[in-house]
Amino acid sequence: MSRLTRTVAALALTCAFVVACSNSDNQQQTSPSSNKPLEKVTYLTSFGNFGRDAYAWVAKDKGFFREVGLDVDIKPGGGTGDNISKIEAGAAMFTPVDLTGLLLARGNGGAKSIVVVAGIQQRTMAALISLEGNGIATPKDLEGKTLADTPGSVVRNLFPTYAKLAGVDATKVTWVNGAPANLIGLLASGAVAGIGQFVVGEPTVESVAKGRQAVVLPYSDVMSDLYGNVLVTTTKIAREQPDLAKRFITALMKGLVHSIDNPDEAGRILQKNVQASAAAPAAAECTLMSAFVRPEGSGAAVGTIDTERVSRSIKLLQDADAMPAGLSPDQLISAELTPKP
């Protein structure tokens, strides 16, 4: 074989290798069910990166988003108020927010471009969490204490209503600001007597508190009709990209079911993707969340929203003077996009 022949052969092999690598890279950016490029979607978790939000990472890690042609970028959220602001500003396309917090925001003139497209938790998980030895065993014990939460948190914004229904003088409770990642540390260090949290945060709190037992005061004790987190997007996306929204909802709900059915795996997936997280507490949160996603005896299918319950929630908030009259479920919930029973 001449030198020229060997050179041409080598160049041909090189080109073939480059083309193969290029094709491989392109395949990684296309849907497995078609040759179409994956569509980019941005998503905020509800609040930081705890086990309660592992289902989004599960949907991504297990390929559920890719199966429906989506490439999802997951970022940590900062709570209901902050997440609503970021969705409206276009910083993300989808996020879970607490439905009660959204009702309060909408009822008082905000969140006008936000629409609910699926339910995450069929009962509210909002709660106050303290530690044994802090002098808090009942709601009345909150008086005279200092609590911490983010300013836009639904736990904090709903507290006046909770206090009124639980017989607590809200003016005797002091609130200080805390970032999502720092709240549990503030509680464990003794800087505050309690924090705004979700019920499922109990294992994580006890893990950080190193042996001290958590004291949980669930808001659902006095507000049983309230939903927990719901998935929201903008009215523009719901109107102009309903197919994308439906595919995202389907994949996310698949991740939600998988995470509560396989909590240990969900915890490992979260830790793999978010190094600051711990698998065991995350798995424990997923286990606890199962009762809120599929409440025993409720008959509610995963992802569904009962508008009659939402109507009762609105009335409860109005009766507590937390919001004015005039809001109805159809103004806020997409009948077209929410999963059907």
Side-chain angles (χ1 to χ4, degrees), residues 124-291:
T124 182
M125 299 200 306
L128 297 167
I129 295 187
S130 183
L131 292 169
E132 277 192 339
N134 285 358
I136 297 176
T138 69
K140 192 68 175 175
D141 297 329
L142 295 168
E143 295 179 1
K145 303 298 193 301
T146 298
L147 310 177
D149 205 347
T150 57
S153 163
V154 67
V155 176
R156 188 165 176 174
N157 290 338
L158 189 56
F159 180 74
T161 303
Y162 169 78
K164 183 175 182 179
L165 295 172
V168 178
D169 185 346
T171 65
K172 294 182 179 179
V173 179
T174 301
W175 285 92
V176 296
N177 295 336
N182 299 333
L183 287 175
I184 296 176
L186 289 173
L187 177 62
S189 69
V192 296
I195 57 175
Q197 265 288 329
F198 279 169
V199 171
V200 296
E202 180 180 355
T204 304
V205 168
E206 292 183 341
S207 174
V208 175
K210 300 189 183 305
R212 296 181 66 189
Q213 188 171 343
V215 177
V216 184
L217 300 178
Y219 279 17
S220 60
D221 285 349
V222 294
M223 295 181 280
S224 59
D225 264 333
L226 301 185
Y227 274 87
N229 280 350
V230 294
L231 183 68
V232 303
T233 188
T234 61
T235 52
K236 186 175 188 293
I237 289 174
R239 181 178 63 253
E240 298 179 3
Q241 297 176 278
D243 177 66
L244 180 146
K246 288 178 180 178
R247 284 183 283 132
F248 180 81
I249 295 164
T250 297
L252 189 69
M253 294 301 104
K254 191 173 179 180
L256 178 61
V257 170
H258 191 91
S259 69
I260 61 175
D261 286 346
N262 304 275
D264 291 338
E265 182 187 10
R268 291 192 297 270
I269 288 174
L270 179 63
Q271 186 176 45
K272 181 176 75 172
N273 288 278
V274 183
Q275 293 184 355
S277 64
E285 285 202 9
C286 291
T287 298
L288 288 174
M289 195 168 80
S290 178

Side-chain angles (χ1 to χ4, degrees), residues 70-136:
L70 302 177
D71 178 16
V72 180
D73 183 26
I74 303 172
K75 300 293 185 185
T80 294
D82 188 59
N83 286 3
I84 288 173
S85 297
K86 286 179 177 175
I87 292 293
E88 289 196 298
M93 298 168 66
F94 297 91
T95 190
V97 301
D98 188 274
L99 180 57
T100 305
L102 178 58
L103 292 175
L104 291 172
R106 186 64 169 268
N108 290 287
K112 292 182 178 179
S113 64
I114 297 294
V115 62
V116 177
V117 294
I120 304 295
Q121 292 121 17
Q122 299 293 322
R123 291 190 293 128
T124 182
M125 299 200 306
L128 297 167
I129 295 187
S130 183
L131 292 169
E132 277 192 339
N134 285 358
I136 297 176

